[in-house]
Amino acid sequence: MARITFVGAGDEKTTVEASTGASVMLAAVQNGIRGIEGECGGSMTCVTCHVYVADDDTPRMPKMAAEEDELLDYTTSARLPQSRLSCQLVVTDDLDGLTVSVPQENT
Ligand code: FES
């Protein structure tokens, strides 16, 4: 279990409890976080789960696979160095306190 904070429109913060082994995308969808759709269910075809990981949290993120890196070029919102597909971020105890922002144009 890990607490994850999503920053949405107007810098509104929502903190949710995410189950270990689930994805950050799933935690967002299950908690109705606006701007994270997860349309493909995590099979990496939709890129509707784009988030920006907080600067302080980027060192503890799992390494990005080549496929995720490629798909991030197709997001509707700007790709930044902190960009990740939240369906590829698996919740572990080590991610407790993680903060991710939803691209403003998606909220
Ligand atoms: S949920 Fe579709 S790419 Fe992440």
Side-chain angles (χ1 to χ4, degrees):
M1 195 73 95
R3 286 171 297 119
I4 299 173
T5 298
F6 295 91
V7 182
D11 286 336
E12 182 182 3
K13 293 181 172 71
T14 305
T15 300
V16 306
E17 297 274 347
S19 300
T20 302
S23 68
V24 172
M25 176 278 286
L26 187 60
V29 170
Q30 288 178 334
N31 287 280
I33 301 297
R34 192 169 172 174
I36 299 179
E37 306 299 330
E39 287 176 5
C40 75
S43 60
M44 281 213 287
T45 57
C46 74
V47 299
T48 62
C49 63
H50 182 204
V51 295
Y52 302 122
V53 174
D55 288 341
D56 289 350
D57 290 323
T58 53
R60 60 181 172 150
M61 287 298 100
K63 189 169 168 29
M64 185 183 299
E67 188 177 3
E68 180 184 356
D69 190 13
E70 184 179 334
L71 276 172
L72 279 168
D73 289 337
Y74 297 96
T75 60
T76 56
S77 43
R79 180 175 182 171
L80 301 176
Q82 307 90 335
S83 288
R84 294 298 301 260
L85 294 178
S86 59
C87 68
Q88 299 305 301
L89 301 177
V90 177
V91 176
T92 65
D93 292 347
D94 290 341
L95 289 192
D96 188 43
L98 171 69
T99 298
V100 299
S101 296
V102 180
Q104 293 298 302
E105 52 268 63
N106 295 352
T107 59

